């Protein structure tokens, strides 16, 4: 078998005898013990065998590696071939009641190394909400002083209350190696697109239908009839802004997990981009 392999390699020796000139004089000393097994010019004709010659022992893995390094002219390094992916800013947006909080809460459980930026707001706390977790509930005065001191990435007046994103949280999380998730309404997403351009990933969440979205909002029982009217009318208008987003994810009734998996898939895809997004804030 070995004999047949050698004869066949001997016949095809011409295909591998040409190497770049640089390979002939490697920049590092070749181990003495391997000199016999690694001629400076490879030619399988030197391996011709007769039946009574002792078999040439096959090189060990280490010998093969050293030989390859010798012929290629440089040692193999364990350094990563590509640098680690950049940290991301993922902006999750969508009309009121579409399930932004629901998706984000699930993502919080399923994905590590994500920082969910806590928005500062002047709106009153809803039952079950926790200050510092759901929002930073602040007074109008302190909110406006943060805005004046340029401490907010963006802010807006939403349904009569201020909402804004503290810059400090984003900087600290990203420098600690975490990706950052921002949950904003459509108006906020539009502003962030203007500020961040293509450096952030914009995800638009939608319900499977307008009827499903309105039902969810009504079932939540957190808005008065008048507030519902404004939110639903606004939502109709907001779907038109879909075009300025990078991805759209349908959060269908009873299929929250599927929507969360899609958002995770988007993050994974972004991490595999050849041309990574670079955030500067
Ligand atoms: N896939 C789903 N199936 C069923 N119910 C859902 C789904 N996603 C969200 N919900 C429910 O719909 C209601 C609205 O969701 P959520 O509060 O997350 O919306 P939102 O987009 O954050 O709204 P807002 O912008 O008004 O704060 C909640 O009661 C939530 O539990």
């Amino acid at each position: 078998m070995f004999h047949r392999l050698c004869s066949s390699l001997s016949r095809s020796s011409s295909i591998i005898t040409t190497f770049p000139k640089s390979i002939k004089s490697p920049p590092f000393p070749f181990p003495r013990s391997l000199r016999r097994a690694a001629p400076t010019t490879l030619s399988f004709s030197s391996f011709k065998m007769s039946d009574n010659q002792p078999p040439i022992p096959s090189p060990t893995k280490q010998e093969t590696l050293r030989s390859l390094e010798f012929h290629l002219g440089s040692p193999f390094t364990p350094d990563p071939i590509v640098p680690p992916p950049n940290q991301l800013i993922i902006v999750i947006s969508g009309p009121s009641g579409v399930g932004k909080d629901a998706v984000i809460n699930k993502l919080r459980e399923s994905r590590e190394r994500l920082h969910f930026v806590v928005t500062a707001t002047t709106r009153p706390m809803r039952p079950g909400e926790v200050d510092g977790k759901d929002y930073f509930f602040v007074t109008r005065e302190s909110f406006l002083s943060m805005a004046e001191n340029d401490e907010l990435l963006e802010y807006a007046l939403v349904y009569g209350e201020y909402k804004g994103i503290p810059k400090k949280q984003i900087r600290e999380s990203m420098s600690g190696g975490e990706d950052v998730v921002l949950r904003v309404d459509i108006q906020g997403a539009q502003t962030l697109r203007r500020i961040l351009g293509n450096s952030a990933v914009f995800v638009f969440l939608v319900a499977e239908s307008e009827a499903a979205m309105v039902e969810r909002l009504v079932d939540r029982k957190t808005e008065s009839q008048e507030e519902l009217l404004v939110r639903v009318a606004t939502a109709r208008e907001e779907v038109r802004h879909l075009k300025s987003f990078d991805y759209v994810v349908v959060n269908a009734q009873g299929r929250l997990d599927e929507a969360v998996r899609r958002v995770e898939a988007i993050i994974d895809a972004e991490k595999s981009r050849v041309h990574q997004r670079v955030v500067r804030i």
Side-chain angles (χ1 to χ4, degrees):
M1 176 67 184
F2 187 57
H3 184 89
R4 252 187 292 145
L5 176 67
C6 287
S7 345
S8 106
L9 285 172
S10 168
R11 277 196 302 278
S12 59
S13 62
S14 61
I15 58 168
I16 57 157
T17 48
T18 42
F19 283 91
K21 277 196 184 118
S22 60
I23 288 173
K24 287 188 178 157
S25 42
F28 57 94
F30 189 66
R32 185 182 285 277
S33 62
L34 298 180
R35 280 188 191 160
R36 197 172 62 88
T40 49
T41 305
L42 270 189
S43 164
F44 277 96
S45 59
S46 56
F47 291 113
K48 269 186 193 156
M49 293 181 63
S50 73
D51 285 344
N52 51 9
Q53 266 183 319
I56 298 167
S58 15
T60 64
K61 181 178 169 187
Q62 284 310 314
E63 285 171 338
T64 306
L65 289 172
R66 295 296 79 79
S67 170
L68 288 170
E69 285 177 335
F70 176 76
H71 286 294
L72 288 167
S74 59
F76 299 130
T77 79
D79 301 341
I81 290 169
V82 287
N86 291 350
Q87 272 72 55
L88 294 169
I89 292 186
I90 305 131
V91 179
I92 297 188
S93 189
S96 180
V98 77
K100 297 183 287 296
D101 280 339
V103 165
I104 283 174
N105 287 338
K106 281 267 177 182
L107 206 54
R108 212 186 280 273
E109 292 164 16
S110 64
R111 188 108 186 173
E112 289 180 345
R113 311 293 297 149
L114 278 186
H115 176 81
F116 299 84
V117 173
V118 182
T119 307
T121 183
T122 56
R123 85 152 162 74
M125 217 187 288
R126 287 179 189 149
E129 283 182 331
V130 179
D131 185 26
K133 180 174 169 277
D134 298 295
Y135 287 95
F136 282 115
F137 295 96
V138 296
T139 60
R140 234 158 223 266
E141 293 68 45
S142 52
F143 190 97
L144 292 173
S145 113
M146 285 199 291
E148 252 176 53
N149 296 329
D150 194 26
E151 291 170 22
L152 300 171
L153 181 62
E154 70 90 31
Y155 69 94
L157 195 58
V158 183
Y159 305 117
E161 300 290 353
Y162 283 108
K163 278 186 179 179
I165 301 164
K167 281 185 186 174
K168 193 167 163 233
Q169 260 186 73
I170 301 180
R171 291 199 184 114
E172 285 178 356
S173 312
M174 292 185 88
S175 59
E178 288 181 312
D179 296 316
V180 166
V181 177
L182 297 174
R183 175 234 191 273
V184 289
D185 55 35
I186 304 284
Q187 190 189 338
Q190 300 290 111
T191 313
L192 284 177
R193 183 58 111 182
R194 278 197 296 280
I195 296 168
L196 298 170
N198 280 329
S199 70
V201 188
F202 288 77
V203 180
F204 193 98
L205 269 189
V206 282
E208 67 276 42
S209 66
E210 189 180 66
M213 183 183 68
V214 177
E215 246 179 79
R216 254 178 247 172
L217 210 45
V218 171
D219 288 344
R220 190 170 69 176
K221 297 190 176 83
T222 50
E223 280 81 24
S224 65
Q225 190 79 12
E226 293 73 37
E227 284 171 329
L228 280 174
L229 193 61
V230 176
R231 284 183 185 237
V232 175
T234 311
R236 277 196 171 164
E237 169 63 27
E238 285 174 335
V239 177
R240 298 212 198 121
H241 295 288
L242 182 61
K243 292 190 288 298
S244 56
F245 284 72
D246 299 305
Y247 298 93
V248 60
V249 170
V250 177
N251 178 27
Q253 188 65 24
R255 293 165 77 174
L256 181 61
D257 286 344
E258 205 175 297
V260 174
R261 273 201 300 279
R262 289 214 170 225
V263 175
E264 290 199 72
I266 290 168
I267 298 173
D268 290 337
E270 286 288 327
K271 293 280 174 191
S272 303
R273 275 173 72 112
V274 173
H275 304 287
Q276 293 276 306
R277 299 178 196 259
V278 181
V279 178
R280 275 183 210 95
I281 58 163

